[in-house]
Amino acid sequence: MRLPDILSTHDPLLASELAQAIDNKTKPLGSLGALETLARQIGLIQQTTRVALHKPAILVFAADHGVVAEGVSAYPQSVTWQMVENFLSRGAAINVFARQNGCALQIIDAGVNHDFGKRAALMDCKVARGTANFAQQAAMSWAECAAALAHGMRIVGNLEGNVIGFGEMGIGNTTAAAALMHKLTGVPVAHCVGAGTGLSIEGVLHKQSVIEAAVTLHGDMSEPLDILATFGGFEIAMIVGAMLKAAERRMVLLIDGFIVSSALLVAARMQPAILDYCVFSHCSDEAGHARMLEHFHARPLLNLGLRLGEGTGCALALPLLHAAVNFLGEMATFQSARVSGQSA
């Protein structure tokens, strides 16, 4: 399987042209703050000062995790498929926010422990009915991990737009994400683990002990795909493949919260230049996400105390991308305003 090669967006000449275009707008220098940074980033991604967004899409990948057998979640595994049904009936938060902001939404079964049958609104990419319990063995085989990566790349390869957001659903996936975070950043497990779907303090401590024991069980490893296959989930692996392909295609990548950021940890270890394409939508209230953002040297667009997942942060941040693109494309410059005033 060939993994995408990602080029840096670094282009000093274009960066200078973008800075001049932004600074010449009818406003004090730097007064649009993060929107100016965002406009520059989008311009470098798209390799032009005439930036545009078209057909934004959010992909929500769902899968189950064998590690829930260790009692690491406040909810039973069946909630995963029940939430997928909620997505399909358009009743979840991500449905509301995507609809509100004119964003296409695709739900993908990456490995849910449930038979949905053939459903028009559900993309069936099921690798298996959930991962194995990584507290006892590797979550995925190499073949399963490769299949998940390939599905993610294929899905993004077929998209028409130039903006993509990533969401997820999977009971137990904060445990997988915390394990990935620990292995890929070196941050102590205690600082990676949070309440997830609502664990008590005792539950969080138990989750921490499960991860620490699993880390000891599997021993030292440093290759990102080894770490992904050992501790990840099918939805996380599929997001990794999707991210890599999206950056190869020079799309704008909207990064959601804790789980999606754990997939980015894997992707960025493989292809560091992918970070040039990433817009961090928000800082999740899930413990550990702020430290992930520090690891990426990222400044999120929003801080609303969200910890729902589903790609909700991406949908809520999308209007800010439109604002950045629109001010760069439509706002008057001092020169054009002066000419207009003289004409009047």
Side-chain angles (χ1 to χ4, degrees):
M1 175 180 60
R2 187 192 76 81
L3 293 174
D5 242 349
I6 298 170
L7 300 177
S8 171
T9 64
H10 182 67
D11 184 336
L13 179 59
L14 178 57
S16 176
E17 293 173 355
L18 285 162
Q20 184 176 14
I22 291 166
D23 290 346
N24 283 341
K25 298 297 182 182
T26 50
K27 61 174 181 59
L29 290 176
S31 59
L32 282 176
L35 290 181
E36 298 188 15
T37 304
L38 187 54
R40 281 193 293 271
Q41 181 183 6
I42 295 171
L44 288 169
I45 290 171
Q46 297 184 354
Q47 300 177 292
T48 181
T49 58
R50 297 179 178 276
V51 293
L53 305 179
H54 66 271
K55 295 187 177 180
I58 294 176
L59 307 177
V60 180
F61 298 86
D64 279 308
H65 294 256
V67 75
V68 297
E70 303 296 322
V72 294
S73 175
Y75 287 88
Q77 191 177 78
S78 59
V79 170
T80 302
W81 72 259
Q82 291 168 1
M83 277 304 302
V84 171
E85 289 289 357
N86 196 20
F87 298 147
L88 298 179
S89 64
R90 302 180 182 180
I94 186 56
N95 299 96
V96 175
F97 299 150
R99 187 163 56 239
Q100 167 185 305
N101 292 310
C103 183
L105 182 64
Q106 178 64 62
I107 312 302
I108 300 106
D109 177 4
V112 181
N113 187 19
H114 183 76
D115 183 8
F116 293 101
K118 191 171 183 179
R119 308 285 288 276
L122 181 65
M123 186 177 294
D124 183 6
C125 298
K126 194 192 298 286
V127 177
R129 296 174 70 100
T131 53
N133 180 357
F134 71 68
Q136 299 178 5
Q137 64 186 89
M140 292 174 256
S141 68
W142 260 105
E144 289 173 332
C145 187
L149 290 166
H151 278 304
M153 289 187 287
R154 176 182 56 78
I155 292 166
V156 172
N158 290 330
L159 291 179
E160 296 180 359
N162 63 2
V163 183
I164 181 170
F166 304 94
E168 43 61 42
M169 176 61 211
I171 294 299
N173 65 8
T174 59
T175 303
L180 291 172
M181 177 183 174
H182 166 69
K183 292 294 295 183
L184 290 162
T185 67
V187 172
V189 175
H191 295 155
C192 301
V193 172
T197 50
L199 286 174
S200 64
I201 293 175
E202 293 77 12
V204 173
L205 291 173
H206 173 65
K207 184 196 287 190
Q208 177 183 332
S209 69
V210 168
I211 294 172
E212 289 172 339
V215 168
T216 300
L217 172 69
H218 294 293
D220 290 337
M221 60 180 72
S222 59
E223 290 299 317
L225 290 184
D226 288 339
I227 294 169
L228 176 62
T230 301
F231 298 100
F234 293 131
E235 81 280 36
I236 296 173
M238 224 167 273
I239 291 171
V240 172
M243 286 177 169
L244 291 169
K245 187 64 177 179
E248 182 185 53
R249 295 187 61 195
R250 300 192 78 97
M251 301 171 79
V252 178
L253 278 61
L254 266 174
I255 308 302
D256 195 40
F258 186 60
I259 314 302
V260 170
S261 296
S262 76
L264 182 59
L265 286 173
V266 178
R269 178 72 72 85
M270 297 164 64
Q271 293 279 349
I274 195 173
L275 294 177
D276 291 356
Y277 300 82
C278 294
V279 175
F280 294 84
S281 63
H282 74 113
C283 181
S284 170
D285 215 29
E286 175 66 16
H289 192 229
R291 285 187 174 88
M292 275 192 193
L293 293 175
E294 289 174 8
H295 177 80
F296 293 128
H297 305 291
R299 179 181 179 182
L301 296 178
L302 302 169
N303 193 344
L304 302 174
L306 305 176
R307 55 181 182 88
L308 178 59
E310 303 178 6
T312 47
C314 300
L316 292 171
L318 186 59
L320 295 177
L321 268 71
H322 284 292
V325 165
N326 291 342
F327 100 74
L328 183 57
E330 300 175 19
M331 189 174 172
T333 64
F334 283 110
Q335 181 183 21
S336 66
R338 187 164 54 249
V339 169
S340 176
Q342 291 171 351
S343 299

